[in-house]
Amino acid sequence: MRMLVQRVHHASVTIGGELRSRIGTGLLVLLGVGHEDTDEDIEYLVGKLLRLRIFDDAEGVMNLDVVQAGGEVLVVSQFTLMASTRKGNRPSYIRAAGEAVSRPLYERFAARASEVLGRPVATGEFGADMQVELLNDGPVTVWIDSRCRDY
């Protein structure tokens, strides 16, 4: 399971011209699910996400997590994060889980993040053609892969 985390001033998801979700200051999370991912990956990534100290403290040092900063979270499914570009120029998505695996894991990730955060987490719509808008703050962007825990 992979997530790309962006610290944002605000972010939103629109589907077919209709606003689905919107957050203010917080974290936009793009989440990719692989066919080998499990609830253990969810626990690992949710823990990392909510303890990631990328918000400024009173001295302007990135020392606060999203909870301490009072930020919001928006989670959007994005199978293309599982792309392999080792061969040629057309990405391969063979590592991405099919909907039967990825949809429930995506939904459990969002539910678990909400549970640990103690408030609702905004989401996109799994499998939909979404327009995601954001104002990246910093910019601060962090890539975390649950299969690469040694760095």
Side-chain angles (χ1 to χ4, degrees):
M1 193 173 288
R2 296 175 175 169
M3 66 179 180
L4 184 72
V5 181
Q6 295 179 299
R7 186 179 74 181
V8 299
H9 282 294
H10 58 81
S12 64
V13 174
T14 302
I15 303 167
E18 298 290 322
L19 180 67
R20 162 66 187 229
S21 297
R22 176 184 300 151
I23 64 167
T25 298
L27 300 174
L28 169 62
V29 180
L30 303 176
L31 186 73
V33 178
H35 54 81
E36 296 178 358
D37 292 332
T38 67
D39 286 338
E40 181 183 326
D41 298 284
I42 291 171
E43 289 300 316
Y44 176 77
L45 289 181
V46 166
K48 283 291 191 183
L49 174 67
L50 299 181
R51 291 189 301 268
L52 198 58
R53 297 179 351 174
I54 59 173
F55 290 90
D56 292 347
D57 62 16
E59 286 77 42
V61 177
M62 285 195 284
N63 205 26
L64 303 177
D65 61 35
V66 68
V67 175
Q68 294 165 325
E72 299 176 275
V73 176
L74 170 58
V75 181
V76 176
S77 63
Q78 188 170 353
F79 79 94
T80 59
L81 285 178
M82 301 309 294
S84 172
T85 57
R86 289 179 56 185
K87 293 182 178 179
N89 295 316
R90 183 186 304 259
S92 168
Y93 302 106
I94 195 164
R95 294 182 186 163
E99 182 178 355
V101 171
S102 57
R103 180 188 291 265
L105 286 172
Y106 163 74
E107 291 171 352
R108 288 200 302 272
F109 179 94
R112 182 66 177 140
S114 178
E115 180 183 338
V116 174
L117 186 61
R119 57 184 182 271
V121 166
T123 63
E125 181 179 321
F126 186 91
D129 181 14
M130 297 174 275
Q131 289 68 55
V132 179
E133 293 187 50
L134 67 133
L135 180 56
N136 199 317
D137 179 19
V140 175
T141 303
V142 179
W143 168 270
I144 303 174
D145 189 320
S146 63
R147 302 289 169 187
C148 300
R149 298 182 189 192
D150 56 347
Y151 65 90

